[in-house]
Amino acid sequence: MKNFSIKEIFYNKIKIEKEIKIYGWIRSKRDSKSGISFIDIFDGSCSNTLQVIAKSNLKNYKNEIIKLTSGCSVYVIGILIYSRRKEQKYELLLKKLKVFGIVNNPEKYPISLKKHTFEYLRKFAHLRPRTKLFSSISRIRNSLLNGINSFLKKEKFLWVPTPIITRINTEGSGSMFNVSPYDFYQKSKFLNKRKKIFEDSFLTVSGQLTLETYASALSKVYTFGPVFRAEDSNTKRHLSEFWMLEIEAYFFDLENIILLSKNILKYVSEYILKRSFYDIEFLEKNFNKNIIINLNNLIELNFVELEYKDIIVLLNKLGKKISFGEDISLEKEKYIVNKYFRKPLIIKNFPKELKAFYMRNNLDNITVSSMDIFLPNIGEVIGGSQREERLNVLDNKFKEFNLNKKQYWWYRDLRKYGTSFHSGFGIGFERLLCYIIGLENIRDASPFPKTLNKFNY
Ligand code: 4AD
Ligand code: MG
């Protein structure tokens, strides 16, 4: 007999009156006085549960079925029928139920049926995907990844895996994790040399610079992987380990990548609305009534686009004192994005001192060709720029940023041999997921969140 998923039932892939087998876990069980149990089963394939009707004449009814509690793993065989209840289209008339694992001490099961706070569930990150909310988040996360891949395939970007252990600091800030050598190196006869190499190695903060090397040969490339930041910012938006999609395109200027980044946001939102409709519907009903509005905001490209200098003028007009050259504080950013515009906002052309060395100097020699995209409630989701392709200007930037240009010899090579204008950006995957679902805390968008304070996994 073929196994089916609950999703296949609700997406009408199975004929009615057919005998089917489903593997899953028990969400809840209700026993009627007339000797029938109603068991709701989930299997992670969709937000729906399947109601199974178990009658007392089943062989293991009295010694097993009646004792089942939330969380037990089972398989069920039965006949699929239309349900008489309004809330549920189908149900299963049970013929056989096999128990794999019971829940020991059901009263102590951390993921009981009652509603739990996000904070509580964070303590049980290994069990929280069993809740309806986190299983929905997991499926939408997967849908977001598929949407991104589908977009990149359509736009003909090529995948390049970039290093995770690296010797360069792309963003130039002091927020890298050191990679320490193992005992193996201690015992090696090349001890000193090898040890030294790894002492100077770090977990990457971004794959951008190495990605630029492949862009300079393949034109349009991307990398998607974990990046690591040892920032001591214990906020609702920062993780020490997060996933970033980075895109790099030769012969693209700033306006080209702004358009590309808007298009990817639009594309993935449409993709999720279409492909994850049941989860979106579930989340809209039970968690965030604005979820479809927020997705539509990205689809309709309702973006405000301003230069940094205009934001400074605007902030001052609104009574928020700030001078040109100052970074926009979190408090001011929240005010302008969440309260004032209440829409996605793109800020372009920041002063060069506020941005990384690789960004292209504008003609004014004061600002760089940068862009950041901010989304309501979660803040900066995309950061990108046109890259400095002129060797003499880049060399000056190394000086200004106190960087040793010798270490970037291969990066400089790209400017020596067939350089051209090019641009790219990075999307914080968990931040985008926060926006899409309406999560307030990034720790709920990452399956195993890590911050400098604490992590268990
Ligand atoms: O703005 P960032 O630092 O840009 C770069 O790393 C560039 N090299 C990207 C590129 O042009 N290829 O980071 C990109 C995005 C941010 O906009 C934000 O969404 C996310 O990564 N991000 C974080 N997400 C979670 N936790 C953190 N600590 C993050 N820091 C940045
Ligand atoms: Mg940034």
Side-chain angles (χ1 to χ4, degrees):
M1 191 184 311
K2 202 177 160 242
N3 305 331
F4 288 97
S5 69
I6 293 175
K7 184 176 176 178
E8 286 171 310
I9 295 173
F10 285 94
Y11 281 69
N12 299 323
K13 296 256 166 72
I14 302 174
K15 285 204 183 96
I16 212 77
E17 303 290 340
K18 202 177 151 150
E19 188 170 293
I20 58 168
K21 184 177 184 182
I22 303 262
Y23 286 87
W25 295 265
I26 292 177
R27 170 82 62 210
S28 62
K29 183 171 69 73
R30 195 163 51 80
D31 307 309
S32 81
K33 281 184 195 132
S34 55
I36 299 179
S37 294
F38 300 92
I39 311 168
D40 279 339
I41 302 223
F42 70 95
D43 67 356
S45 61
C46 65
S47 52
N48 288 335
T49 49
L50 178 66
Q51 175 163 280
V52 171
I53 299 169
K55 292 191 177 152
S56 54
N57 57 2
L58 286 159
K59 243 188 6 210
N60 57 346
Y61 186 82
K62 282 219 167 72
N63 54 359
E64 271 192 319
I65 297 179
I66 198 84
K67 293 180 195 155
L68 293 173
T69 57
S70 174
C72 298
S73 56
V74 294
Y75 82 58
V76 288
I77 294 177
I79 308 281
L80 191 67
I81 56 167
Y82 283 120
S83 172
R84 266 174 283 164
R85 291 195 310 166
K86 254 202 273 152
E87 320 87 76
Q88 151 119 9
K89 200 168 170 194
Y90 304 106
E91 53 197 25
L92 196 78
L93 275 181
L94 190 64
K95 282 186 145 183
K96 186 177 175 190
L97 182 149
K98 181 172 159 52
V99 182
F100 292 112
I102 58 153
V103 167
N104 298 319
N105 287 333
E107 60 294 340
K108 285 197 179 152
Y109 184 43
I111 311 290
S112 60
L113 274 178
K114 71 171 197 244
K115 255 196 167 174
H116 298 291
T117 63
F118 279 101
E119 241 170 347
Y120 172 84
L121 288 173
R122 259 171 242 143
K123 287 190 204 138
F124 300 99
H126 56 297
L127 297 175
R128 66 181 180 172
R130 299 171 183 212
T131 64
K132 282 185 175 184
L133 179 59
F134 277 89
S135 72
S136 256
I137 295 173
S138 308
R139 282 184 297 274
I140 291 185
R141 179 190 297 116
N142 184 65
S143 196
L144 176 57
L145 175 68
N146 289 342
I148 287 172
N149 281 330
S150 168
F151 177 83
L152 294 168
K153 195 171 162 196
K154 176 175 85 67
E155 296 290 326
K156 310 220 164 15
F157 276 81
L158 299 175
W159 171 60
V160 178
T162 49
I164 289 184
I165 295 180
T166 177
R167 306 190 69 188
I168 46 166
N169 185 350
T170 306
E171 295 306 298
S173 53
S175 59
M176 295 182 92
F177 287 99
N178 211 172
V179 177
S180 0
Y182 273 119
D183 273 2
F184 171 75
Y185 295 104
Q186 308 281 352
K187 287 171 199 150
S188 160
K189 56 182 176 186
F190 303 113
L191 172 72
N192 291 335
K193 202 171 157 207
R194 286 196 178 177
K195 203 173 166 213
K196 183 90 187 67
I197 285 178
F198 269 83
E199 273 174 358
D200 287 347
S201 305
F202 304 91
L203 293 177
T204 187
V205 295
S206 154
Q208 182 201 315
L209 302 193
T210 44
L211 194 61
E212 278 184 57
T213 68
Y214 270 71
S216 78
L218 303 173
S219 298
K220 300 204 289 187
V221 291
Y222 73 96
T223 187
F224 182 56
V227 295
F228 308 86
R229 308 236 169 141
E231 300 165 311
D232 193 14
S233 17
N234 189 21
T235 76
K236 292 178 175 182
R237 307 166 165 194
H238 288 88
L239 291 167
S240 302
E241 176 183 311
F242 65 98
W243 281 65
M244 181 157 48
L245 170 76
E246 296 188 84
I247 279 185
E248 202 64 34
Y250 251 60
F251 317 114
F252 269 52
D253 65 14
L254 189 72
E255 292 309 318
N256 297 145
I257 53 147
I258 289 180
L259 185 62
L260 188 73
S261 52
K262 281 186 190 171
N263 284 346
I264 193 168
L265 292 177
K266 178 183 155 90
Y267 186 94
V268 297
S269 306
E270 278 172 347
Y271 187 97
I272 288 173
L273 267 183
K274 206 154 85 198
R275 309 280 177 113
S276 298
F277 185 72
Y278 284 106
D279 281 309
I280 295 288
E281 210 182 21
F282 165 78
L283 291 170
E284 194 191 29
K285 224 187 259 164
N286 298 288
F287 176 65
N288 170 11
K289 64 180 179 356
N290 292 327
I291 190 164
I292 296 181
I293 297 174
N294 289 349
L295 283 167
N296 276 329
N297 259 339
L298 294 186
I299 293 170
E300 284 148 23
L301 295 182
N302 219 347
F303 285 49
V304 182
E305 206 170 313
L306 284 173
E307 301 227 359
Y308 166 89
K309 67 173 175 1
D310 301 324
I311 292 282
I312 299 302
V313 173
L314 179 66
L315 276 169
N316 280 304
K317 256 193 208 155
L318 296 168
K320 305 269 168 193
K321 270 201 158 166
I322 180 168
S323 42
F324 189 96
E326 232 181 277
D327 211 353
I328 301 166
S329 66
L330 191 62
E331 176 247 314
K332 290 194 175 74
E333 175 221 294
K334 279 184 174 171
Y335 175 77
I336 203 106
V337 182
N338 302 346
K339 293 224 166 86
Y340 186 74
F341 287 122
R342 296 193 210 165
K343 286 183 182 174
L345 169 69
I346 304 181
I347 309 183
K348 300 193 288 192
N349 299 329
F350 266 72
K352 61 179 180 183
E353 289 79 13
L354 296 181
K355 290 293 182 189
F357 75 93
Y358 54 73
M359 297 196 184
R360 192 180 199 276
N361 280 7
N362 283 324
L363 284 176
D364 59 16
N365 212 19
I366 295 169
T367 59
V368 282
S369 198
S370 71
M371 66 102 173
D372 290 308
I373 303 189
F374 298 85
L375 299 181
N377 301 323
I378 188 67
E380 187 197 320
V381 168
I382 299 187
S385 68
Q386 190 163 333
R387 317 307 191 190
E388 186 53 78
E389 84 283 13
R390 299 160 295 185
L391 187 60
N392 59 334
V393 185
L394 185 66
D395 281 348
N396 275 333
K397 290 290 269 279
F398 284 131
K399 264 188 224 146
E400 283 169 27
F401 281 78
N402 234 342
L403 294 167
N404 178 4
K405 76 173 185 184
K406 277 193 195 142
Q407 233 194 329
Y408 296 85
W409 64 274
W410 51 270
Y411 191 69
R412 294 177 70 246
D413 266 3
L414 307 178
R415 276 73 187 164
K416 287 184 196 164
Y417 310 130
T419 188
S420 174
F421 67 102
H422 64 287
S423 308
F425 61 84
I427 302 183
F429 187 78
E430 290 82 356
R431 287 207 191 161
L432 181 54
L433 191 63
C434 280
Y435 174 80
I436 289 170
I437 291 172
L439 295 169
E440 277 178 25
N441 195 320
I442 198 160
R443 289 172 182 84
D444 301 320
S446 166
F448 302 102
K450 285 190 184 69
T451 57
L452 279 191
N453 285 351
K454 192 181 172 185
F455 61 88
N456 293 322
Y457 305 91

